[in-house]
PDB file of all heavy atoms in Angstrom:
ATOM      1  N   ASN A  95      -4.096  20.450   5.483  1.00  0.00           N
ATOM      2  CA  ASN A  95      -4.457  21.364   4.414  1.00  0.00           C
ATOM      3  C   ASN A  95      -5.362  20.716   3.376  1.00  0.00           C
ATOM      4  O   ASN A  95      -5.331  19.482   3.221  1.00  0.00           O
ATOM      5  CB  ASN A  95      -3.183  21.991   3.764  1.00  0.00           C
ATOM      6  CG  ASN A  95      -2.507  21.041   2.802  1.00  0.00           C
ATOM      7  OD1 ASN A  95      -3.079  20.584   1.834  1.00  0.00           O
ATOM      8  ND2 ASN A  95      -1.241  20.761   3.069  1.00  0.00           N
ATOM      9  N   PRO A  96      -6.237  21.466   2.723  1.00  0.00           N
ATOM     10  CA  PRO A  96      -7.273  20.915   1.841  1.00  0.00           C
ATOM     11  C   PRO A  96      -6.731  20.008   0.741  1.00  0.00           C
ATOM     12  O   PRO A  96      -7.326  18.969   0.457  1.00  0.00           O
ATOM     13  CB  PRO A  96      -7.970  22.123   1.306  1.00  0.00           C
ATOM     14  CG  PRO A  96      -7.776  23.187   2.336  1.00  0.00           C
ATOM     15  CD  PRO A  96      -6.417  22.907   2.894  1.00  0.00           C
ATOM     16  N   GLN A  97      -5.633  20.399   0.112  1.00  0.00           N
ATOM     17  CA  GLN A  97      -5.114  19.563  -0.991  1.00  0.00           C
ATOM     18  C   GLN A  97      -4.622  18.218  -0.468  1.00  0.00           C
ATOM     19  O   GLN A  97      -4.891  17.184  -1.056  1.00  0.00           O
ATOM     20  CB  GLN A  97      -3.961  20.266  -1.715  1.00  0.00           C
ATOM     21  CG  GLN A  97      -4.488  21.360  -2.642  1.00  0.00           C
ATOM     22  CD  GLN A  97      -3.335  21.881  -3.509  1.00  0.00           C
ATOM     23  OE1 GLN A  97      -2.204  21.980  -3.051  1.00  0.00           O
ATOM     24  NE2 GLN A  97      -3.652  22.211  -4.740  1.00  0.00           N
ATOM     25  N   GLU A  98      -3.913  18.257   0.654  1.00  0.00           N
ATOM     26  CA  GLU A  98      -3.448  17.003   1.284  1.00  0.00           C
ATOM     27  C   GLU A  98      -4.612  16.130   1.692  1.00  0.00           C
ATOM     28  O   GLU A  98      -4.672  14.925   1.474  1.00  0.00           O
ATOM     29  CB  GLU A  98      -2.559  17.343   2.484  1.00  0.00           C
ATOM     30  CG  GLU A  98      -1.923  16.138   3.138  1.00  0.00           C
ATOM     31  CD  GLU A  98      -1.077  16.481   4.327  1.00  0.00           C
ATOM     32  OE1 GLU A  98      -1.199  17.601   4.907  1.00  0.00           O
ATOM     33  OE2 GLU A  98      -0.287  15.634   4.769  1.00  0.00           O
ATOM     34  N   LEU A  99      -5.637  16.782   2.297  1.00  0.00           N
ATOM     35  CA  LEU A  99      -6.852  16.065   2.730  1.00  0.00           C
ATOM     36  C   LEU A  99      -7.502  15.381   1.557  1.00  0.00           C
ATOM     37  O   LEU A  99      -7.807  14.172   1.630  1.00  0.00           O
ATOM     38  CB  LEU A  99      -7.815  17.045   3.380  1.00  0.00           C
ATOM     39  CG  LEU A  99      -9.181  16.436   3.715  1.00  0.00           C
ATOM     40  CD1 LEU A  99      -9.072  15.374   4.797  1.00  0.00           C
ATOM     41  CD2 LEU A  99     -10.123  17.533   4.152  1.00  0.00           C
ATOM     42  N   LEU A 100      -7.716  16.104   0.458  1.00  0.00           N
ATOM     43  CA  LEU A 100      -8.357  15.496  -0.702  1.00  0.00           C
ATOM     44  C   LEU A 100      -7.550  14.348  -1.269  1.00  0.00           C
ATOM     45  O   LEU A 100      -8.101  13.326  -1.709  1.00  0.00           O
ATOM     46  CB  LEU A 100      -8.628  16.551  -1.786  1.00  0.00           C
ATOM     47  CG  LEU A 100      -9.720  17.560  -1.412  1.00  0.00           C
ATOM     48  CD1 LEU A 100      -9.790  18.653  -2.476  1.00  0.00           C
ATOM     49  CD2 LEU A 100     -11.058  16.869  -1.284  1.00  0.00           C
ATOM     50  N   ALA A 101      -6.238  14.471  -1.252  1.00  0.00           N
ATOM     51  CA  ALA A 101      -5.380  13.418  -1.764  1.00  0.00           C
ATOM     52  C   ALA A 101      -5.528  12.151  -0.886  1.00  0.00           C
ATOM     53  O   ALA A 101      -5.678  11.048  -1.421  1.00  0.00           O
ATOM     54  CB  ALA A 101      -3.939  13.868  -1.805  1.00  0.00           C
ATOM     55  N   TYR A 102      -5.483  12.335   0.411  1.00  0.00           N
ATOM     56  CA  TYR A 102      -5.590  11.194   1.286  1.00  0.00           C
ATOM     57  C   TYR A 102      -7.001  10.586   1.272  1.00  0.00           C
ATOM     58  O   TYR A 102      -7.135   9.332   1.260  1.00  0.00           O
ATOM     59  CB  TYR A 102      -5.192  11.542   2.735  1.00  0.00           C
ATOM     60  CG  TYR A 102      -3.711  11.546   2.937  1.00  0.00           C
ATOM     61  CD1 TYR A 102      -3.035  12.728   3.240  1.00  0.00           C
ATOM     62  CD2 TYR A 102      -2.966  10.370   2.830  1.00  0.00           C
ATOM     63  CE1 TYR A 102      -1.668  12.744   3.413  1.00  0.00           C
ATOM     64  CE2 TYR A 102      -1.597  10.391   3.028  1.00  0.00           C
ATOM     65  CZ  TYR A 102      -0.972  11.560   3.304  1.00  0.00           C
ATOM     66  OH  TYR A 102       0.412  11.566   3.481  1.00  0.00           O
ATOM     67  N   LEU A 103      -8.021  11.406   1.238  1.00  0.00           N
ATOM     68  CA  LEU A 103      -9.411  10.890   1.151  1.00  0.00           C
ATOM     69  C   LEU A 103      -9.572  10.059  -0.125  1.00  0.00           C
ATOM     70  O   LEU A 103     -10.159   8.963  -0.108  1.00  0.00           O
ATOM     71  CB  LEU A 103     -10.410  12.001   1.198  1.00  0.00           C
ATOM     72  CG  LEU A 103     -10.617  12.681   2.532  1.00  0.00           C
ATOM     73  CD1 LEU A 103     -11.553  13.885   2.415  1.00  0.00           C
ATOM     74  CD2 LEU A 103     -11.138  11.711   3.601  1.00  0.00           C
ATOM     75  N   SER A 104      -9.034  10.581  -1.246  1.00  0.00           N
ATOM     76  CA  SER A 104      -9.126   9.861  -2.490  1.00  0.00           C
ATOM     77  C   SER A 104      -8.414   8.524  -2.405  1.00  0.00           C
ATOM     78  O   SER A 104      -8.944   7.493  -2.837  1.00  0.00           O
ATOM     79  CB  SER A 104      -8.527  10.740  -3.598  1.00  0.00           C
ATOM     80  OG  SER A 104      -8.528  10.063  -4.825  1.00  0.00           O
ATOM     81  N   LEU A 105      -7.200   8.537  -1.852  1.00  0.00           N
ATOM     82  CA  LEU A 105      -6.437   7.323  -1.688  1.00  0.00           C
ATOM     83  C   LEU A 105      -7.155   6.309  -0.799  1.00  0.00           C
ATOM     84  O   LEU A 105      -7.329   5.130  -1.161  1.00  0.00           O
ATOM     85  CB  LEU A 105      -5.084   7.631  -1.085  1.00  0.00           C
ATOM     86  CG  LEU A 105      -4.242   6.399  -0.714  1.00  0.00           C
ATOM     87  CD1 LEU A 105      -3.585   5.808  -1.958  1.00  0.00           C
ATOM     88  CD2 LEU A 105      -3.227   6.778   0.336  1.00  0.00           C
ATOM     89  N   LEU A 106      -7.650   6.760   0.369  1.00  0.00           N
ATOM     90  CA  LEU A 106      -8.311   5.854   1.307  1.00  0.00           C
ATOM     91  C   LEU A 106      -9.579   5.275   0.707  1.00  0.00           C
ATOM     92  O   LEU A 106      -9.891   4.096   0.906  1.00  0.00           O
ATOM     93  CB  LEU A 106      -8.587   6.567   2.620  1.00  0.00           C
ATOM     94  CG  LEU A 106      -7.376   6.919   3.461  1.00  0.00           C
ATOM     95  CD1 LEU A 106      -7.785   7.826   4.643  1.00  0.00           C
ATOM     96  CD2 LEU A 106      -6.649   5.695   3.966  1.00  0.00           C
ATOM     97  N   GLU A 107     -10.310   6.088  -0.065  1.00  0.00           N
ATOM     98  CA  GLU A 107     -11.507   5.610  -0.695  1.00  0.00           C
ATOM     99  C   GLU A 107     -11.192   4.603  -1.813  1.00  0.00           C
ATOM    100  O   GLU A 107     -11.772   3.528  -1.904  1.00  0.00           O
ATOM    101  CB  GLU A 107     -12.318   6.764  -1.243  1.00  0.00           C
ATOM    102  CG  GLU A 107     -13.670   6.354  -1.786  1.00  0.00           C
ATOM    103  CD  GLU A 107     -14.514   7.552  -2.202  1.00  0.00           C
ATOM    104  OE1 GLU A 107     -13.961   8.639  -2.528  1.00  0.00           O
ATOM    105  OE2 GLU A 107     -15.756   7.374  -2.213  1.00  0.00           O
ATOM    106  N   LYS A 108     -10.207   4.959  -2.653  1.00  0.00           N
ATOM    107  CA  LYS A 108      -9.801   4.087  -3.773  1.00  0.00           C
ATOM    108  C   LYS A 108      -9.302   2.737  -3.289  1.00  0.00           C
ATOM    109  O   LYS A 108      -9.588   1.698  -3.862  1.00  0.00           O
ATOM    110  CB  LYS A 108      -8.738   4.813  -4.570  1.00  0.00           C
ATOM    111  CG  LYS A 108      -8.190   4.010  -5.711  1.00  0.00           C
ATOM    112  CD  LYS A 108      -7.071   4.746  -6.421  1.00  0.00           C
ATOM    113  CE  LYS A 108      -6.276   3.801  -7.289  1.00  0.00           C
ATOM    114  NZ  LYS A 108      -4.948   4.316  -7.582  1.00  0.00           N
ATOM    115  N   GLU A 109      -8.586   2.755  -2.145  1.00  0.00           N
ATOM    116  CA  GLU A 109      -8.009   1.509  -1.615  1.00  0.00           C
ATOM    117  C   GLU A 109      -8.980   0.728  -0.727  1.00  0.00           C
ATOM    118  O   GLU A 109      -8.645  -0.301  -0.175  1.00  0.00           O
ATOM    119  CB  GLU A 109      -6.747   1.821  -0.841  1.00  0.00           C
ATOM    120  CG  GLU A 109      -5.606   2.393  -1.706  1.00  0.00           C
ATOM    121  CD  GLU A 109      -5.082   1.402  -2.710  1.00  0.00           C
ATOM    122  OE1 GLU A 109      -5.075   0.201  -2.401  1.00  0.00           O
ATOM    123  OE2 GLU A 109      -4.669   1.819  -3.806  1.00  0.00           O
ATOM    124  N   GLY A 110     -10.217   1.258  -0.556  1.00  0.00           N
ATOM    125  CA  GLY A 110     -11.214   0.507   0.170  1.00  0.00           C
ATOM    126  C   GLY A 110     -11.228   0.661   1.677  1.00  0.00           C
ATOM    127  O   GLY A 110     -11.823  -0.145   2.361  1.00  0.00           O
ATOM    128  N   PHE A 111     -10.531   1.693   2.195  1.00  0.00           N
ATOM    129  CA  PHE A 111     -10.501   1.915   3.645  1.00  0.00           C
ATOM    130  C   PHE A 111     -11.725   2.713   4.112  1.00  0.00           C
ATOM    131  O   PHE A 111     -12.114   2.576   5.271  1.00  0.00           O
ATOM    132  CB  PHE A 111      -9.238   2.662   4.059  1.00  0.00           C
ATOM    133  CG  PHE A 111      -7.998   1.823   3.911  1.00  0.00           C
ATOM    134  CD1 PHE A 111      -7.173   1.990   2.809  1.00  0.00           C
ATOM    135  CD2 PHE A 111      -7.674   0.874   4.848  1.00  0.00           C
ATOM    136  CE1 PHE A 111      -6.003   1.234   2.669  1.00  0.00           C
ATOM    137  CE2 PHE A 111      -6.526   0.112   4.716  1.00  0.00           C
ATOM    138  CZ  PHE A 111      -5.681   0.292   3.622  1.00  0.00           C
TER     139      PHE A 111
END
Side-chain angles (χ1 to χ4, degrees):
N95 78 58
Q97 284 189 325
E98 184 181 17
L99 173 66
L100 289 173
Y102 280 115
L103 287 174
S104 177
L105 172 80
L106 291 172
E107 186 175 25
K108 177 182 164 202
E109 296 293 328
F111 291 101

